[in-house]
Amino acid sequence: MAATAGVPVTAAFGAVARAVATNKGQLNDPFAEPLVRAAGVDHFVRLLDDDRYAADDTGSPRFLDICAAHTRFVDEFVAEAGRAGLRQVVILVSGLDTRPYRLWWPPGTAVYEIDRPEVLDFKAEVLRGLGAELAASRRAVCVDVHQDWPAALRRVGFDATSPTVWIAEQLLIGYLTPGLQDRLLQGVTAMSAAGSRFAADHMPTWTPLQLEAERSFVDGWHRQGLDVDLASLTHAGQYHYVPEYLAANGWETVQRNVTDLLGAMGLPGRRRGPGGTEFVPEYLTATRV
């Protein structure tokens, strides 16, 4: 379930997607591949060594391409927020995200990374060894989102009166229980001044067809040699539809699909999976009013 040093496989997924996209010239993350190798997920290391970035067998677009497309979309989203004057960014469950190092940030920008201490410590150690230099004021918030992360955020200087950019990648797709996901979104809302912005991927439904698509997705990775029960990392239950939930709590939302994001990278759009559905998230941005 976990890679070296307690780094979750889900975090390594994001890093290997960025490494693949960097090698294809679609992103610029020179730190992604070293982080993947240091994390020690054998299957992902073999992907890099063999230069074999095969699609999964679900009939959906390549999962790694989808992750990379959302990464680039969020990169542009935070750049636009910076041009609009926002100088406070929070990455929820940041994992092996390297944005404080690899992006240009306006002077005075503070980037808060929330995750468990072992994950943040591992990443910081690897990046120090690479001689990576920060491009923003990075503030590590060493706390699990199951705990009182808003209090931890305030302790390291977060200002709830200033508009904030919130990023939630590979988080609102079933990794939290329905109740915890609601509490997370409530916490974000409570700490967001007017003009704050939010970007996330999310799973729109968990119907029987969606669960069938998830099983097919997991089986595809097993056949490729990833010996991890990805399905055990998600939770069953009735989730609020994230765009509607945010809209009911004072946010203006804009919804997108995977075709929009892949098209921006010049990649083909979605293909249907088992039963006419897909294990593919939807995407949203939101502005606090």
Side-chain angles (χ1 to χ4, degrees):
M1 176 175 175
T4 299
V7 177
V9 166
T10 50
F13 257 122
V16 77
R18 296 195 309 275
V20 169
T22 296
N23 290 335
K24 292 179 178 179
Q26 296 165 342
L27 283 176
N28 181 24
D29 187 349
F31 312 116
E33 183 168 335
L35 282 166
V36 171
R37 295 186 181 279
V41 180
D42 291 341
H43 178 64
F44 293 155
V45 173
R46 287 197 302 272
L47 282 177
L48 297 175
D49 287 340
D50 297 343
D51 197 28
R52 188 180 68 245
Y53 310 128
D56 60 61
D57 294 328
T58 65
S60 302
R62 294 182 178 183
F63 179 71
L64 298 183
D65 283 346
I66 292 170
C67 290
H70 190 242
T71 295
R72 197 166 90 168
F73 173 78
V74 174
D75 288 352
E76 294 168 356
F77 175 80
V78 296
E80 172 58 30
R83 289 192 291 271
L86 280 72
R87 297 292 183 267
Q88 192 166 244
V89 179
V90 179
I91 305 175
L92 297 159
V93 189
S94 63
L96 301 183
D97 188 296
T98 60
R99 287 189 175 96
Y101 300 85
R102 66 179 179 83
L103 297 183
W104 176 87
W105 298 93
T109 301
V111 180
Y112 298 84
E113 293 194 295
I114 297 177
D115 212 323
R116 293 182 286 114
E118 59 269 28
V119 176
L120 295 178
D121 289 347
F122 166 80
K123 178 169 63 176
E125 181 180 354
V126 172
L127 293 175
R128 276 196 302 270
L130 296 171
E133 295 184 0
L134 285 164
S137 174
R138 173 184 178 266
R139 303 182 186 180
V141 187
C142 297
V143 64
D144 193 294
V145 290
H146 293 77
Q147 300 169 328
D148 190 358
W149 61 267
L153 195 54
R154 287 190 293 268
R155 283 196 295 271
V156 294
F158 179 84
D159 180 6
T161 66
S162 295
T164 301
V165 182
W166 301 88
I167 300 170
E169 287 183 293
Q170 299 179 49
L171 179 61
L172 308 181
I173 57 174
Y175 291 134
L176 306 177
T177 64
L180 182 57
Q181 180 168 299
D182 287 351
R183 290 194 295 276
L184 180 83
L185 294 175
Q186 290 163 5
V188 167
T189 298
M191 301 184 75
S192 292
S196 293
R197 304 185 185 191
F198 181 79
D201 50 348
H202 65 100
M203 290 304 293
T205 59
W206 282 105
T207 64
L209 288 176
Q210 193 72 34
L211 292 170
E212 178 188 346
E214 182 195 23
R215 285 192 295 271
S216 181
F217 170 84
V218 172
D219 288 345
W221 279 101
H222 274 301
R223 287 192 295 272
Q224 294 176 35
L226 183 62
D227 187 22
V228 176
D229 183 8
L230 295 173
S232 70
L233 303 178
T234 58
H235 298 273
Q238 293 295 318
Y239 287 83
H240 286 105
Y241 186 50
V242 174
E244 293 178 354
Y245 192 76
L246 289 175
N249 285 277
W251 296 82
E252 292 182 347
T253 64
V254 177
Q255 300 177 56
R256 294 172 175 82
N257 61 41
V258 69
T259 301
D260 300 330
L261 272 62
L262 289 169
M265 292 180 70
L267 297 172
R270 66 200 306 174
R271 298 190 295 274
R272 287 295 178 186
T277 188
E278 296 167 277
F279 185 63
V280 175
E282 291 182 0
Y283 306 89
L284 71 87
T285 59
T287 304
R288 186 82 163 100
V289 296

